[in-house]
Amino acid sequence: RGFGVTVADLLFFGFFLWILLGGSREKIIWWPYNTAMWQLLLLVSLISLVDSKVAYYGLFTFHKFVRGYILYWVIVNLVRDREAIQAVVYGAICAVLFQSSIVLWDKYVTGRVVNRSVGSFPHPNTLAMYVDLIAPMTLALLLAGGFKNIWSKLAPASIIGALISIIFTKSRAALIIAGAALGAVTGMSIALKPTGKKIAVAMVGFLLVDIIGLIAAPKIIERFQKAPEASELTRKYFNNAAHAMANEHRFGTGLNSYSWMLANTDYYWYVYAEEQDTIKDEEEFRESPMGQSRLGTAHHIYYLFAAETGWPGMIIFILFIGRYYFHNFILLLRIKDDYYQAILLGLFVGFSTLHLQGLLEWIFRQTQVFFLFSVLSGLMVATGRVAHQEKVQKNSQSQRANGRLKEF
């Protein structure tokens, strides 16, 4: 909480300074794709703090947004060729393997986790969303034959590890989204370029998923059957409060203020509307365990932005992520190189999982997932640029070769 500085910050700030000092010896890309929307997001975030009752809370998230942009900027400037792209992909695979190893260690060795696994994250849903972002890209590359040597073994291991991690988080939405994402990647990959190898890999994959599903089925069914109805109702209350905040404040209540506003103002009664008429002492109820049980933040990333930065802020946020999504889709259609196309396909589906999860959670704003989004967005933009440069270079070489033939 607060002005966080992580190991990741130290690394990418180091690279940031290295690039500025000319260490990369490449022409600096000062204005990466979508920078204007980053700036608008930062601007509307600052505007929202003008009338905020807890503006310093908002500075915590604003600080995170700035760090996220610098991370994105660094990735775009560092990733200049196929080898650099592979390095990012391998790093993402290692991250999933690391998380799944923690899940298995905590579950079966130390016994520290007996209910819902969290990996190294603060909440099970964070772990589920994190691996949901990476697994589609890994599967797309696997189907396209994009891995060699030891990575041809680590890649499928990471996909299995991602599935196991998601199952152990017992996140209902993540389970459905992960299955849909992997199925979509498989279907779209085969549709883009059908091969016997892809179909064989898909069949083996479906067999493994079926086996894992059969083993985990009792726990999954139990999770759906015993899911508390109060949880869904509380989400509805949160969204109602978010709507009210957005309608009553042109630029919202202030970035990162939703939880404070819910707990300390009359918006509190949006989550306790049914109890308000029967309460004798409202202040006493607020301080009671029951009166504290429904407090939290909006479990809908778009409504959360609307509440804290107003409807204009929500629109800017949608345009911010929408431009990346649209750019990813255009690149996917244009680029024909199998390796790059697989990365873009996996990223497109991975970003889709993030947006779908955003309808049910606010996980996008958590540092780990937000930083991963910044890295993968940078990877997507860099992949498009590298693929274009390679195509231009090949065309140039082909033209020179044809010119020599004509001379003879």
Side-chain angles (χ1 to χ4, degrees):
R1 297 179 184 272
F3 297 105
V5 176
T6 67
V7 173
D9 289 277
L10 298 178
L11 289 172
F12 69 73
F13 267 96
F15 277 119
F16 180 61
L17 293 174
W18 180 72
I19 292 168
L20 291 179
L21 294 173
S24 67
R25 297 182 180 179
E26 297 277 0
K27 183 179 179 181
I28 294 177
I29 302 170
W30 294 104
W31 196 266
Y33 178 84
N34 219 27
T35 290
M37 293 310 305
W38 275 96
Q39 292 180 340
L40 280 176
L41 183 66
L42 292 172
L43 178 61
V44 78
S45 298
L46 281 178
I47 292 173
S48 76
L49 301 181
V50 173
D51 293 323
S52 176
K53 294 183 179 181
V54 282
Y56 59 95
Y57 283 10
L59 292 177
F60 302 156
T61 302
F62 182 81
H63 176 247
K64 183 192 300 181
F65 287 172
V66 172
R67 291 153 58 208
Y69 175 71
I70 293 173
L71 175 56
Y72 166 68
W73 188 94
V74 166
I75 293 296
V76 171
N77 275 278
L78 277 182
V79 179
R80 300 280 187 160
D81 52 35
R82 185 180 290 255
E83 289 71 23
I85 290 173
Q86 289 175 335
V88 177
V89 171
Y90 295 158
I93 290 173
C94 288
V96 174
L97 290 172
F98 176 68
Q99 292 302 326
S100 57
S101 66
I102 293 177
V103 168
L104 294 173
W105 181 267
D106 288 344
K107 191 81 174 178
Y108 295 111
V109 179
T110 65
R112 188 171 68 88
V113 174
V114 295
N115 187 18
R116 301 181 66 188
S117 296
V118 297
S120 65
F121 300 114
H123 194 277
N125 292 346
T126 312
L127 169 62
M129 189 65 261
Y130 193 90
V131 299
D132 261 350
L133 270 170
I134 297 172
M137 178 177 65
T138 308
L139 177 59
L141 281 168
L142 186 65
L143 290 169
F147 296 110
K148 296 179 180 179
N149 304 322
I150 191 172
W151 295 104
S152 63
K153 299 179 178 60
L154 293 178
S158 75
I159 297 170
I160 294 172
L163 288 173
I164 292 173
S165 297
I166 292 168
I167 289 170
F168 284 161
T169 65
K170 297 182 180 178
S171 171
R172 291 166 291 161
L175 283 167
I176 295 172
I177 290 172
L182 297 181
V185 166
T186 303
M188 292 173 69
S189 178
I190 293 173
L192 286 169
K193 189 174 182 180
T195 65
K197 183 179 179 181
K198 284 185 179 181
I199 295 172
V201 171
M203 292 178 65
V204 172
F206 282 129
L207 178 61
L208 289 174
V209 169
D210 286 343
I211 294 172
I212 294 172
L214 287 172
I215 295 173
K219 292 292 183 182
I220 295 173
I221 294 171
E222 182 183 17
R223 172 62 178 162
F224 277 87
Q225 289 177 338
K226 294 186 177 181
E229 294 182 8
S231 175
E232 184 62 32
L233 191 59
T234 302
R235 290 173 190 264
K236 181 180 178 181
Y237 291 148
F238 284 155
N239 292 342
N240 290 341
H243 269 258
M245 293 180 195
N247 289 333
E248 295 171 12
H249 301 267
R250 179 172 297 178
F251 288 101
T253 59
L255 191 66
N256 199 31
S257 68
Y258 179 93
S259 297
W260 189 93
M261 293 293 291
L262 194 69
N264 296 281
T265 68
D266 287 342
Y267 291 115
Y268 174 89
W269 298 111
Y270 276 89
V271 294
Y272 286 104
E274 298 172 357
E275 289 83 355
Q276 188 175 12
D277 294 335
T278 62
I279 294 171
K280 295 181 180 179
D281 188 330
E282 291 186 355
E283 291 302 319
E284 181 180 349
F285 179 79
R286 278 179 178 257
E287 298 299 324
S288 68
M290 174 60 183
Q292 299 279 323
S293 63
R294 293 180 189 170
L295 298 182
T297 194
H299 282 49
H300 193 297
I301 191 63
Y302 306 103
Y303 290 156
L304 179 59
F305 267 95
E308 295 183 346
T309 62
W311 296 116
M314 188 193 77
I315 292 171
I316 288 173
F317 174 67
I318 291 173
L319 291 173
F320 165 72
I321 59 175
R323 289 197 79 232
Y324 278 128
Y325 201 60
F326 181 73
H327 187 60
N328 193 159
F329 181 70
I330 295 300
L331 290 175
L332 176 60
L333 296 180
R334 286 180 178 175
I335 293 174
K336 303 305 178 183
D337 181 277
D338 290 347
Y339 185 78
Y340 296 140
Q341 190 180 64
I343 290 175
L344 293 166
L345 171 59
L347 289 175
F348 181 76
V349 175
F351 288 148
S352 299
T353 70
L354 181 64
H355 304 326
L356 288 173
Q357 192 79 12
L359 300 175
L360 301 169
E361 295 287 348
W362 60 282
I363 292 172
F364 180 90
R365 291 266 287 270
Q366 292 188 11
T367 302
Q368 300 92 334
V369 173
F370 181 64
F371 275 13
L372 180 60
F373 171 81
S374 297
V375 169
L376 296 182
S377 297
L379 174 64
M380 180 264 292
V381 172
T383 299
R385 187 185 66 249
V386 171
H388 176 71
Q389 290 172 346
E390 287 189 4
K391 182 179 179 181
V392 170
Q393 186 178 6
K394 287 180 181 178
N395 289 340
S396 177
Q397 291 173 348
S398 177
Q399 288 174 1
R400 287 198 298 268
N402 290 336
R404 292 192 191 100
L405 288 174
K406 288 180 181 179
E407 291 177 1
F408 285 107

